[in-house]
């Protein structure tokens, strides 16, 4: 085997390790830091430590740590899929990478228009981060999407983008749009602030509700098994009959389908709010007038 092939394989191993090792470290960290408990509990993100800050202390939780682990894993996946790109006789991984790029580009074009094609990397990153952040719950890790602070941060980024494109025609144009009609100005201002709030609570609420429902159903099934079999002697009386299969089926919906669906909805809302808030016609008219003056 030549040196070029060896370097290629070593790079692949490194990229795969970027995908796998962070999740393994996250699982080890959870095992080492989670206190022993009896029964089923519904808790938020575990607090690891607190960094003193002038205004408010910065609390580092499992949601933040797992978010960074997911981002490192996504980085490894992107590097792996784009490693060894060719123009002829392309590999399966390149087919997958090109398919992802094509689908995201089409999604952005259909919902935002050709002008916003540069949003494709941002939308792809948002879909991947949100989707994988929900899917890590299948490995027993706390999903960052179950923490309102994490999702609210994403919503604030979206709000900044919305406001940026609304200001493309100038601050006066933006303020005028808030006062049109004048009687609805307070409602328009409230609507501006409500956008990131509604996006954050919608995503967080749907994900956390699925987790709570799954835990409650698992607890109920455990109690039902004990009621029906608890009078039997030995191992049979402790056998969790109704906890076999049913929680796994529910996990397919709440952890996989619902998590991916919420990622898609969040990305769609981002595209819709940004494109609808951008006064494209007025912006190009104003730009054309400036060019004519020059």
């Amino acid at each position: 085997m030549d040196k070029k092939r060896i370097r290629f394989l070593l790079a692949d191993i490194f990229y795969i390790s970027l995908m796998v090792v962070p999740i393994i470290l996250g699982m080890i960290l959870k095992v080492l830091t989670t206190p022993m408990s009896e029964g089923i509990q519904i808790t938020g993100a575990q607090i690891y430590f607190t960094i003193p800050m002038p205004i408010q202390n910065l609390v580092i939780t499992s949601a933040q740590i797992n978010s960074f682990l997911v981002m490192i894993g996504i980085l490894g996946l992107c590097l792996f899929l784009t490693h060894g790109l060719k123009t002829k006789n392309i590999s399966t991984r390149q087919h997958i990478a090109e398919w992802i790029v094509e689908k995201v580009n089409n999604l952005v074009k259909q919902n935002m228009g050709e002008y916003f094609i540069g949003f494709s990397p941002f939308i792809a990153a948002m879909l991947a981060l949100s989707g994988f952040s929900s899917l890590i719950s299948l490995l027993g890790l706390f999903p960052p999407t179950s923490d309102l602070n994490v999702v609210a941060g994403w919503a604030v980024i979206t709000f900044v983008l919305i406001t940026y494109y609304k200001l493309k025609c100038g601050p006066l144009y933006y303020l005028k749009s808030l006062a049109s009609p004048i009687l609805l100005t307070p409602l328009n201002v409230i609507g501006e602030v409500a956008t990131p709030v509604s996006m954050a609570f919608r995503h967080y609420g749907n994900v956390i509700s699925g987790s709570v429902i799954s835990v409650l159903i698992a607890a109920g099934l455990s109690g039902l098994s004990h009621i029906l079999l608890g009078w039997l002697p030995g191992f049979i009386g402790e056998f969790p009959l109704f906890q076999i299969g049913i929680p796994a089926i529910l996990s397919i919906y709440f952890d996989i389908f619902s998590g991916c669906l919420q990622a898609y909805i969040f990305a769609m809302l981002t595209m819709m709010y940004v494109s609808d808030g951008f006064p494209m016609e007025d912006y190009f008219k104003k730009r054309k007038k400036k060019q004519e003056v020059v």
Side-chain angles (χ1 to χ4, degrees), residues 5-293:
R5 182 62 177 172
I6 293 175
R7 287 196 298 268
F8 188 89
L9 291 176
L10 290 176
D12 274 352
I13 294 173
F14 175 71
Y15 299 148
I16 293 174
S17 66
L18 280 180
M19 292 185 278
V20 177
V21 172
I23 303 301
I24 295 176
L25 292 177
M27 297 170 68
I28 295 174
L29 180 63
K30 180 180 179 180
V31 172
L32 295 177
T33 58
T34 302
M36 296 295 295
S37 61
E38 295 183 359
I40 297 176
Q41 296 182 349
I42 301 176
T43 60
Q46 181 180 351
I47 298 176
Y48 290 130
F49 57 90
T50 302
I51 302 176
M53 301 293 285
I55 299 176
Q56 183 177 355
N57 292 338
L58 177 61
V59 180
I60 305 300
T61 68
S62 57
Q64 295 162 311
I65 298 298
N66 292 345
S67 293
F68 281 104
L69 296 180
V70 169
M71 286 188 284
I72 295 173
I74 293 174
L75 173 62
L77 177 62
C78 293
L79 292 174
F80 177 77
L81 291 178
T82 56
H83 185 215
L85 296 179
K86 297 183 294 184
T87 56
K88 296 180 180 180
N89 300 321
I90 62 177
S91 61
T92 302
R93 74 174 79 177
Q94 185 171 339
H95 273 295
I96 296 174
E98 292 179 356
W99 179 82
I100 293 173
V101 171
E102 181 182 355
K103 291 300 180 182
V104 175
N105 284 338
N106 291 336
L107 183 67
V108 172
K109 288 180 182 179
Q110 292 173 3
N111 292 279
M112 303 184 75
E114 189 70 30
Y115 179 81
F116 290 96
I117 192 62
F119 260 74
S120 295
F122 176 74
I123 296 301
M126 182 175 293
L127 286 168
L129 182 58
S130 179
F132 285 113
S133 294
S134 297
L135 292 176
I136 63 171
S137 62
L138 296 172
L139 302 175
L141 297 177
F142 182 85
T145 46
S146 293
D147 190 323
L148 181 58
N149 297 301
V150 174
V151 183
W154 302 349
V156 169
I157 294 174
T158 299
F159 178 69
V160 171
L161 289 173
I162 296 170
T163 305
Y164 170 77
Y165 278 96
K166 285 185 176 181
L167 288 169
K168 276 284 191 176
C169 287
L172 292 178
Y173 184 93
Y174 175 65
L175 295 175
K176 183 179 178 181
S177 65
L178 292 178
S180 179
I182 189 66
L183 295 177
L184 297 180
T185 300
L187 293 179
N188 292 335
V189 174
I190 294 173
E192 290 290 300
V193 179
T195 298
V197 175
S198 64
M199 292 184 67
F201 275 99
R202 181 185 291 109
H203 198 304
Y204 163 76
N206 283 294
V207 173
I208 193 65
S209 62
S211 301
V212 172
I213 291 172
S214 297
V215 171
L216 292 177
I217 291 177
L221 293 174
S222 176
L224 181 61
S225 299
H226 180 73
I227 291 173
L228 296 179
L229 303 177
W231 58 275
L232 295 174
F235 170 77
I236 300 178
E238 299 178 358
F239 186 72
L241 177 63
F242 294 101
Q243 287 184 284
I244 300 176
I246 298 178
I249 296 174
L250 294 175
S251 178
I252 293 176
Y253 174 77
F254 289 118
D255 293 332
I256 300 178
F257 175 74
S258 181
C260 295
L261 178 63
Q262 294 309 316
Y264 177 77
I265 291 174
F266 194 90
M268 289 294 293
L269 289 175
T270 299
M271 291 187 288
M272 181 185 70
Y273 285 134
V274 172
S275 59
D276 289 348
F278 177 47
M280 185 175 295
E281 294 183 3
D282 294 336
Y283 171 74
F284 281 111
K285 287 181 181 179
K286 186 177 180 179
R287 188 176 178 181
K288 186 177 181 180
K289 288 182 180 180
K290 287 184 178 181
Q291 292 176 349
E292 290 175 353
V293 172

